[in-house]
Amino acid sequence: MLDRLRPPRRTVIVGAGLGALATAAAACSSGDKPAAAESTSSAAAPTGTPGGGALAKTADVPVGSGIIVDDVVITQPTTGVFKGFSPVCPHAGCNVNKIADGKIVCPCHHSEFNLDGTVAQGPAKKPLEAKAVTVQGDSIVAG
């Protein structure tokens, strides 16, 4: 009698697998960002605000370097010139994760990009995709 009350083993295993799949799908679509990327800036990378708020303060982006904030790489190749890029490496789709010695670095296959987004060292063959950033007062904003 007890055996008739228990679900078949296959049903339990399939149910557990579907539950795990649903949990993974929910985690992927929750909008959570991966851990913050590294930067050579001594200041902590500021967090952008939704809806077009400031991504960073101009003082947070060192001349001859940059920072990675949310889904934007912001560099200042020369004093007062700010550039924005997608963090996605065009080689294999990994995100760049640090800016060191004047280069934007991808950890997956060690592609390096200059502060203007151009390729400094492959295997990437295309530059980082530009993202529009503008300076408003002492803030850098998307757009």
Side-chain angles (χ1 to χ4, degrees), residues 75-143:
T75 64
Q76 186 177 189
T78 58
T79 303
V81 175
F82 296 91
K83 297 188 174 284
F85 306 98
S86 166
V88 179
C89 178
H91 172 248
C94 297
N95 279 3
V96 297
N97 71 342
K98 68 180 176 179
I99 301 171
D101 301 321
K103 301 287 187 253
I104 305 164
V105 182
C106 180
C108 293
H109 301 106
H110 308 290
S111 288
E112 293 183 359
F113 302 88
N114 296 307
L115 298 177
D116 64 0
T118 58
V119 177
Q121 172 183 312
K125 300 208 182 302
K126 295 180 181 177
L128 291 173
E129 179 184 328
K131 280 196 162 192
V133 295
T134 56
V135 175
Q136 293 179 355
D138 66 347
S139 295
I140 301 169
V141 297

Side-chain angles (χ1 to χ4, degrees), residues 12 30 32-33 35 37 41 43 55 65 69 72 76 95 122 141:
V12 173
S30 69
D32 290 343
K33 300 274 186 214
S41 170
L55 296 168
S65 190
V69 181
V72 181
Q76 186 177 189
N95 279 3
V141 297

